[in-house]
Amino acid sequence: MAREKAERSETWDFVTFLVKLALFILILRSFFVSPFNIPSESMQPRLVVGDYLLVAKWPYGFSKYSLPFNISLFPGRMLPNSPEPGDVVVFKAPPSARDDYIKRVIALSGDIVQVSDGVVSINGEAVERQRILDFEHPVTPNSPCYRDEFQSTSKNGGSVCRYPQFQETLPNGVSYRILDIFENSEGDDTQAFVVPDGYMFLMGDNRDRSADSRFPAEEGQAIGMVPQENLVGRALVSVFSTDGSADWYKPWTWFTASRWERIGDGF
């Protein structure tokens, strides 16, 4: 009898532990941080395919989009804060708000945004843009070259891509690197957009590989202008990165595929 009671007690303790662990993870992911992986090239050079991030939930407040499975526990957004231009944000992409996307905030409510010959203007003033050294990255299974003319051989005999790179500085002083690979691409010349109240104008840092606020919202593609209500959180820190060459059944490749130099970078 005593043994049966001890076994039941151990089982109950284990179940209690699992419930507490699940609640801890739920609270952590809902109100503090959640993981996010980079699936496309739209945020190169800052983010590349295979990067894994932690996203901070608290900077912009909390809504159903902050919660797992979009659970609607309360109306609207609690403790709302507006993002700042230059923030890298994760959000639910219009029109359906089902998928998580990541882009950079360029402008907010009331701003007028236009792109002319690849140069962004905000409220009639061209955003400062300076040519800098090319962005160079190795050709890997998840990071190919877009065009043959950008691919060359490195000193160690591997293949690398070199893309035209610029330093862009917004009116508030936030500076970051962008890629402008193709001349006269579809998004290089746009109409003047007026950002509606409560919305954001978002762009990818890889301007020719990003379907962003320059284009009308279409499921699985461009996003149009995005309601602040759709914010999930702000990119916080890179915690892992892989070049895509690992095989799950070959544990040693988990280490050789890791891009250790990309881990720990903040935003």
Side-chain angles (χ1 to χ4, degrees):
M1 182 66 71
R3 183 176 179 180
E4 290 179 359
K5 287 184 178 179
E7 289 178 351
R8 285 199 298 268
S9 177
E10 288 178 1
T11 302
W12 176 250
D13 288 344
F14 181 66
V15 171
T16 301
F17 166 76
L18 291 180
V19 171
K20 289 180 178 179
L21 179 62
L23 286 173
F24 172 77
I25 294 173
L26 178 63
I27 292 171
L28 182 69
R29 292 198 56 172
S30 298
F31 299 103
F32 294 96
V33 294
S34 65
F36 184 82
N37 71 290
I38 301 302
S40 75
E41 310 92 351
S42 72
M43 284 298 292
Q44 284 185 340
R46 177 60 189 85
L47 296 168
V48 300
V49 176
D51 282 354
Y52 289 78
L53 321 175
L54 289 181
V55 176
K57 293 294 189 72
W58 65 87
Y60 311 127
F62 308 96
S63 74
K64 68 177 183 179
Y65 297 124
S66 311
L67 305 176
F69 313 111
N70 295 347
I71 299 171
S72 185
L73 295 181
F74 42 80
R77 181 172 290 270
M78 291 177 56
L79 307 174
N81 287 303
S82 292
E84 296 290 332
D87 286 357
V88 177
V89 299
V90 174
F91 58 95
K92 295 294 183 180
S96 68
R98 285 200 305 260
D99 298 324
D100 289 343
Y101 278 28
I102 185 167
K103 303 289 181 189
R104 190 179 297 275
V105 178
I106 298 298
L108 298 170
S109 303
D111 288 331
I112 302 173
V113 184
Q114 187 168 17
V115 182
S116 301
D117 197 23
V119 177
V120 179
S121 294
I122 302 175
N123 299 324
E125 296 292 330
V127 171
E128 181 182 340
R129 191 171 95 154
Q130 181 180 3
R131 184 74 158 85
I132 58 176
L133 290 176
D134 288 348
F135 170 62
E136 180 179 312
H137 78 80
V139 176
T140 66
N142 62 13
S143 296
C145 251
Y146 308 140
R147 288 166 60 174
D148 291 342
E149 60 262 39
F150 295 125
Q151 186 167 333
S152 59
T153 302
S154 65
K155 294 179 180 178
N156 62 10
S159 294
V160 296
C161 277
R162 294 181 176 89
Y163 301 131
Q165 184 175 220
F166 299 82
Q167 192 83 16
E168 193 170 83
T169 304
L170 294 174
N172 64 352
V174 175
S175 186
Y176 47 88
R177 295 172 296 139
I178 67 167
L179 302 183
D180 193 356
I181 298 172
F182 306 119
E183 294 183 2
N184 303 316
S185 63
E186 184 180 2
D188 278 354
D189 291 280
T190 72
Q191 66 182 76
F193 299 95
V194 180
V195 185
D197 186 41
Y199 280 69
M200 307 171 290
F201 192 95
L202 308 178
M203 296 180 73
D205 291 346
N206 189 345
R207 295 293 161 78
D208 297 317
R209 299 284 292 181
S210 177
D212 48 41
S213 294
R214 292 171 291 176
F215 309 100
E218 186 175 348
E219 193 63 30
Q221 299 186 44
I223 56 175
M225 281 179 272
V226 179
Q228 292 188 31
E229 180 66 22
N230 288 29
L231 283 167
V232 172
R234 185 177 68 199
L236 185 63
V237 65
S238 300
V239 293
F240 186 67
S241 184
T242 177
D243 65 15
S245 64
D247 291 315
W248 67 268
Y249 55 89
K250 297 178 180 178
W252 60 91
T253 64
W254 304 348
F255 299 95
T256 58
S258 298
R259 295 182 287 216
W260 303 105
E261 72 280 0
R262 299 192 60 81
I263 299 173
D265 289 344
F267 291 81

